[in-house]
Amino acid sequence: MRIESLLIFMLAMPITAFAEVSIQEFKLNNGLKLVVQEDHRSPVVVSQVWYRAGSIDEVNGKTGVAHVLEHMMFKGTKTVPAGQFSRLIAAAGGKENAFTSADYTCYFQQLEKSNLSLAFKLEADRMVNLNLTKKEFEKEIKVVMEERRWRTDDKPQSMVNEAFHGAVYRAHPYARPVIGFMNDLENMTYEDAREWYNHWYAPNNATIVVVGDVKAQEVYQLAKQYFGKLKPKVLPARKPQLEPAQIGERRVVVKAPAKQSYLLMGYHVPSLKDVNQDWEPYALEVLAGVLSGNSAARLNQKLVRETQLAVDVSAGYDLLSRGRLSLFALDGTPSDGKTVADLEAGLLQQIERIKESGVTVEELDRVKAGVIAADVYQRDSMFYQAMQIGTVETIGFPWKILNDYPQKLRAVTPEQVQAVAKKYLLKDNLTIATLDPQPIDPNAKPQGKPHVH
C-alpha cells in the first residue's frame, strides 16, 4: 500500500467542520465503542465497523490471515447463507464492502437511513456467528491468491513496494505485505482463519462509526439492541514491537518485465504519539506538502517541468500509525532518456536544498490554504467523514484530534520544517528500492485476476 498522508483525508474537511457538526460517542457495557455524527443533508447513512486487527498483529508463517478473514466474513453465519449478506444490502438499495490494512479491518455499508437496523443486525450476527467452514475457505483462499497475483505479482511497482518494505523494516511487522506472502497463503488453513476470528473479532475490539441523517440517541439504542448482548473476549496481549535504529543506507533492486523504471525511497520518521506535545509529525506533513502537495510544489516544478527528470514524482508521509512509527517516502518514474540514478540525485538535491535553505512562508501558506480549498471537492462525502473518525479512533486516538489538526498545521513554522528535514532525512536513515525493467513477453498473460466480493 502506498504511503498516504492524513492530509488526504483532512483536505476534504473545512477548518470548522468537526466543530459545527454534532458528534456523540457511546460505550456499551461489553466494550464496544460507538461514534455517531449527525448529518441531515440527505436521507442517507454510512455505517462502518472497525476492528483493531490488521497485518500488524500477524505472525510469521500466517501473513495475510487478516485479509483472508475479511473475505470469509462474507461467507455466511448460522442464519445468513454464504453470499446472502451482500444480497440483502443490495436488495435494500445499499452498497457494502470491506478493506484490510496493516492497522485495522473495516466493514461498511451505505444505505437509506431507515435501513440502518439491517446493517446492524447483519454485522452483529457475523461478529460472533461466522460459519467458517473448510469448504468455503478452500474456495476463497484461491480467490485471495488470485488477488495477490493481480495486485502484486502482475504489477512491477507493487513488487518494488513489497521489496522496499521488506528492506526498510527489519524487525517490525510493517515489513510484511497485507495481502500476505504466497507461500503462507498456499499453506494457510481454515483453522488459521478461525483462530484469527476467535482472537480479534469481539465487541471490545471494535468501533462502530455512523454518519448520516440519524439521531445519535436512536443509533445508540439500536446498537444496544443488536450489539449489546454480545459477550466481550479476553484479547491476546499486544507486545511492543520496535524497529531498531537504521545505521546505514539500504538498497534493493527488483528485476521484472516493465516498460519503465521506477524509484521508491524512504526515511524512518516518527508518527504522532503525544497529541498535546508533538509538533514534528505536523512539520513532516507540511514538508510533504511543500514537496508535492500541489502543482506548484517543488518536486513537480523542478523535476517534472524544469529539468524533465521525471514523468511523475511525489512525496508522502502518514502521521498516524498503530505501530507509532512511519516513513517519509518519495517516489517517481524517470523520463525517457533518464535513469533512476538521475532521478535519485534530483530528489536528494531537493531534500538538501530544504535542509540548507529552508522553505518559504509562501510555500507554507499555500500548503495550509489547501486544507480549506480542497474542501470544495469532498466536503459532502459522509463516507470520508466516517473514514476519518474510524481511522483515528482505531489507531488509538480520540476523534476530537480532528478538530485540532488544521490549527496544528497552521502553527508549523519554516524553521520547524527545516529542522525535521535536517534531523531525519539523512543518508544513513535512507532505504532505496528501484525497478530494473526487463523485456516484456508480448504473449504473456496476467497471472491473476481482480476480486469482487
Side-chain angles (χ1 to χ4, degrees), residues 256-269:
K259 294 180 180 179
Q260 296 173 299
S261 54
Y262 172 67
L263 171 70
L264 174 59
M265 48 196 288
Y267 303 85
H268 290 282
V269 292

Side-chain angles (χ1 to χ4, degrees), residues 356-397:
E356 293 170 4
S357 305
V359 297
T360 66
V361 173
E362 289 75 18
E363 285 178 305
L364 263 62
D365 288 344
R366 189 160 53 238
V367 172
K368 296 170 185 179
V371 174
I372 301 173
D375 166 58
V376 173
Y377 301 103
Q378 295 192 43
R379 66 183 300 173
D380 292 328
S381 173
M382 293 183 185
F383 182 82
Y384 280 98
Q385 292 177 56
M387 279 288 297
Q388 292 166 36
I389 295 169
T391 299
V392 170
E393 286 283 343
T394 310
I395 290 298
F397 296 106

Side-chain angles (χ1 to χ4, degrees), residues 97-339:
N97 214 318
F99 56 86
T100 306
S101 80
D103 291 331
Y104 44 72
T105 309
C106 176
Y107 302 84
F108 60 86
Q109 299 84 39
Q110 182 167 330
L111 295 152
E112 196 277 331
K113 65 177 183 178
S114 65
N115 290 316
L116 178 61
S117 60
L118 173 64
F120 275 20
K121 178 182 178 180
L122 292 172
E123 288 289 9
D125 183 30
R126 67 176 175 179
M127 183 179 284
V128 295
N129 296 318
L130 186 64
N131 190 19
L132 212 165
T133 67
K134 184 177 181 181
K135 180 181 178 181
E136 287 291 342
F137 177 85
E138 289 178 349
K139 289 192 296 185
E140 199 63 25
I141 195 67
K142 293 177 181 177
V143 173
V144 175
M145 287 190 278
E146 283 293 300
E147 186 178 351
R148 183 196 154 83
R149 294 184 187 104
W150 175 262
R151 292 182 180 277
T152 302
D153 301 341
D154 286 337
K155 305 288 193 298
Q157 288 192 11
S158 296
M159 295 172 68
V160 172
N161 188 57
E162 185 172 284
F164 169 77
H165 280 85
V168 76
Y169 294 114
R170 293 296 177 86
H172 200 275
Y174 282 164
R176 301 190 291 255
V178 174
I179 192 73
F181 291 113
M182 185 61 81
N183 182 66
D184 289 349
L185 298 175
E186 290 170 341
N187 290 283
M188 192 172 292
T189 67
Y190 82 102
E191 287 92 348
D192 295 326
R194 184 183 297 279
E195 178 186 55
W196 185 264
Y197 178 72
N198 289 338
H199 278 172
W200 300 115
Y201 279 57
N204 51 316
N205 196 41
T207 298
I208 297 178
V209 179
V210 174
V211 176
D213 188 16
V214 293
K215 294 182 179 179
Q217 284 294 331
E218 293 179 359
V219 176
Y220 175 46
Q221 295 303 319
L222 207 60
K224 287 199 295 184
Q225 176 185 344
Y226 288 105
F227 293 94
K229 58 189 175 183
L230 307 185
K231 294 181 179 180
K233 294 178 181 178
V234 177
L235 301 173
R238 302 182 197 258
K239 296 187 177 181
Q241 300 180 87
L242 302 178
E243 177 67 20
Q246 186 169 332
I247 53 176
E249 182 182 282
R250 301 171 187 167
R251 288 182 179 268
V252 60
V253 177
V254 173
K255 292 187 176 183
K259 294 180 180 179
Q260 296 173 299
S261 54
Y262 172 67
L263 171 70
L264 174 59
M265 48 196 288
Y267 303 85
H268 290 282
V269 292
S271 65
L272 185 65
K273 296 182 180 69
D274 186 327
V275 296
N276 296 314
Q277 300 296 324
D278 287 353
W279 61 267
E280 288 185 337
Y282 298 98
L284 288 163
E285 194 90 289
V286 172
L287 175 57
V290 167
L291 288 170
S292 71
N294 52 67
S295 60
R298 291 196 182 195
L299 297 185
N300 189 61
Q301 286 279 34
K302 299 296 182 181
L303 304 187
V304 177
R305 295 183 180 179
E306 294 181 15
T307 63
Q308 297 182 340
L309 271 176
V311 175
D312 57 70
V313 65
S314 67
Y317 164 70
D318 194 342
L319 172 142
L320 295 176
S321 82
R322 262 183 61 206
R324 297 299 187 261
L325 47 80
S326 192
L327 298 172
F328 191 92
L330 305 102
D331 75 334
T333 303
S335 301
D336 289 341
K338 303 296 182 180
T339 66

